[in-house]
Amino acid sequence: MIIEKLSKFIILASMVIASTICEAAQRAESYKEALDKAGSDGVIVYCYGPDWNRRSVMLLNSFWKSAQTEEAAGDAVLVAVPFYEDKHSAEAEKDSHKGQGLPHPPFSVCPTVMFFDKNGRLYATMQGSDYLGNDPACTEGVKNIQKNVQALRTQQELLAKAQNVQGEERAKLLAQVADLPINAPDNLVDMIREADPKDKLGYVRRLTFNARDFMYAQLDTKDGFLHPDFEPDFTKMAKDCEAVFRDEALRPRDRQAAYNLYIGQSRREHVQGNKIKGLIRKVNKLDPNTDYGKLSPTLMNLWGNLKHRTTPEERRAERAKKKAKDREKRDKKRKELHIEVN
């Protein structure tokens, strides 16, 4: 009896282990096959250059085919798609079917890792050492694959919950979808607008506001370059930028961007340094960790009429420099007096 139970346990355990291995090793030979196999975790594509990018070929084995990558990918189907420089070579023609239907990736950096949901919607892209890491196993890349897959799962859960509620509660759930670190569904703004037609919660403004377009409109330019004869309505610009900065529904960085336009124009309008310092402090206080927040101390020094605070080492070096200069003057005078005496 004990042996029979033990045998059943071993068989059951073997089945569990086998199924786990299969789930962690879902792979396909082409993008189309991967999309056909795709479940809730979708498809992850490794795009590499066999005949022009040596690093991407090396990482194909050390990173892409590793057990760590398979585990991080969850139930996503993994597929490696080669992109040849010589598209007419025998190898390129042989592998041409692997990438059929795949949107051509922007190869500013190779390799490129692309993430698709089960419907073929691109929801994330990874390129370069910032995402993959510099080590052969691409430790950072493995972590980021896991983060993106988990973010897709969270997105799907939030969208499912939003289907069962209405009004502002639905809008709040959809707004959480927008805040995830992956691409949101294309119709997300329309879905939020339908749930909150008057935009009481401000999510529509948050998602549709474009800081660059706002600044270009204020500067009356399409490319960001000021025209020589441009004369802004400074009063209106100040009012518009203040309105954006006070709108708490907008992202902090967008609010800071609009306010930095006001700060820059204030300097051109010869506004007093003390007032400009106050404006810069507001930007920094809103969020010191954005690029605008980190730029604030520099702007304080450049535009706020602040003296550079020297360190003890700098002061010692300055004194030594002054002494050397004074010594040079004395030596010059002594030489001149010696010449006159002689």
Side-chain angles (χ1 to χ4, degrees), residues 93-111:
E93 292 181 0
K94 178 184 175 183
D95 292 337
S96 62
H97 69 285
K98 293 184 178 181
Q100 287 181 356
L102 175 70
H104 197 291
F107 270 123
S108 57
V109 179
C110 189

Side-chain angles (χ1 to χ4, degrees), residues 46 55 59 62-64 66 68-69 111 126 128 131-145:
Y46 180 81
R55 180 172 183 265
L59 296 182
S62 63
F63 160 61
W64 187 246
S66 70
Q68 290 79 10
T69 296
M126 294 192 330
Y131 293 99
L132 298 178
N134 288 309
D135 57 302
C138 292
T139 306
E140 288 301 313
V142 172
K143 291 179 181 177
N144 286 323
I145 286 175

Side-chain angles (χ1 to χ4, degrees), residues 305-320:
N305 295 333
L306 291 179
K307 292 183 179 180
H308 174 63
R309 294 183 179 181
T310 58
T311 63
E313 291 78 11
E314 289 174 329
R315 290 195 290 272
R316 281 194 292 269
E318 189 64 31
R319 287 196 295 268

